[in-house]
Amino acid sequence: MDSMIEEQFPAMYRCHRVAVERYVLRRVQAEDVGDVLAEVFLTALRQYEQVPADPLPWLYGVARRGAGQ
């Protein structure tokens, strides 16, 4: 893994996890929140080069698609 991603991804996760978790919690049953949240951040890690400078709206979009499955 690229060292830049190794440094920046954890910071993005720490900064936005709670907001994304709250977003997901309003859209799925409580027992599914962890799975959707994990998928959101796994997608962000896999597609890190496409994540914009302001990642929260992008993360919400990923969460919306994940919650709809």
Side-chain angles (χ1 to χ4, degrees):
M1 184 180 302
D2 185 295
S3 64
M4 182 180 74
I5 294 172
E6 287 180 13
E7 292 176 15
Q8 293 179 355
F9 180 81
M12 180 184 70
Y13 177 82
R14 284 190 305 273
C15 184
H16 298 296
R17 184 196 59 81
V18 171
V20 175
E21 185 175 29
R22 287 179 182 156
Y23 180 88
V24 171
L25 189 56
R26 293 190 303 266
R27 287 159 176 77
V28 301
Q29 295 186 9
E31 63 267 12
D32 296 328
V33 171
D35 290 338
V36 174
L37 190 63
E39 188 61 36
V40 168
F41 284 99
L42 182 58
T43 298
L45 181 59
R46 288 179 177 160
Q47 298 179 8
Y48 194 77
E49 295 79 25
Q50 284 91 36
V51 177
D54 179 11
L56 192 55
W58 187 90
L59 293 167
Y60 284 156
V62 174
R64 186 183 69 247
R65 290 186 291 281
Q69 295 180 2

